[in-house]
Amino acid sequence: MASYPQDPGAPDAAYLGFWQERHLCTLTTPRPDGSPHVVPVGVTYDPGARLARVIADKASTKVQNVLAAGAEGARVAVCQVEGRRWATLEGRAVVRTDRDRVAEAERRYAERYGRTPRPDPSRVVIEIGLTRAMGRG
């Protein structure tokens, strides 16, 4: 089976370009019983920081799944696909509540998706410290 690895901190131009386009993504988090919870999300990718970011409401199931994993975070994946192009980022997710970090995630979301997220005082950011990237941009 073919493998399409990327360096999550220095992806090739086509892969990075694909992550800069407007695409709906999925986030897969582990439920407490270990089964996968997959939901549609907006994702931003910051290879320089080796981070992917997902803004979310602190009461959402995805956030609760990450928190349930404990201080070391949850192993998660984000993915996007369009035709023959696809990309997956994997790593450890943690939930951040710091207003500056949330604001940075909102700014990046607005840049990628072309719209500012509605105000939400219960918004947090899921930050994924990237350990693996694969796909074909």
Side-chain angles (χ1 to χ4, degrees):
M1 183 164 148
S3 174
Y4 301 98
Q6 293 282 334
D7 178 344
D12 68 38
Y15 189 82
L16 181 58
F18 187 40
W19 277 106
Q20 292 168 336
E21 296 171 9
R22 187 179 191 280
H23 293 286
L24 186 61
C25 303
T26 61
L27 168 67
T28 303
T29 59
R31 292 184 181 104
D33 69 4
S35 64
H37 174 72
V38 184
V39 293
V41 294
V43 175
T44 62
Y45 175 32
D46 180 357
R50 293 180 75 98
L51 283 177
R53 295 176 179 91
V54 176
I55 57 175
D57 187 281
K58 67 182 176 186
S60 68
T61 299
K62 60 186 160 283
V63 168
Q64 296 309 306
N65 287 344
V66 172
L67 291 172
E72 71 180 32
R75 291 194 58 175
V76 304
V78 290
C79 184
Q80 66 181 22
V81 63
E82 180 187 58
R84 297 177 64 103
R85 298 186 308 157
W86 62 276
T88 299
L89 299 168
E90 298 177 21
R92 288 257 174 215
V94 294
V95 176
R96 305 286 189 202
T97 59
D98 176 81
R99 290 291 90 193
D100 289 339
R101 290 179 109 120
V102 173
E104 176 64 7
E106 291 170 332
R107 183 192 69 75
R108 289 174 179 274
Y109 178 95
E111 184 177 280
R112 181 175 189 199
Y113 290 98
R115 67 176 193 81
T116 302
R118 65 174 167 64
D120 181 354
S122 62
R123 181 169 291 132
V124 297
V125 59
I126 299 171
E127 289 185 347
I128 305 164
L130 301 174
T131 57
R132 182 180 295 165
M134 62 188 121
R136 294 170 44 147

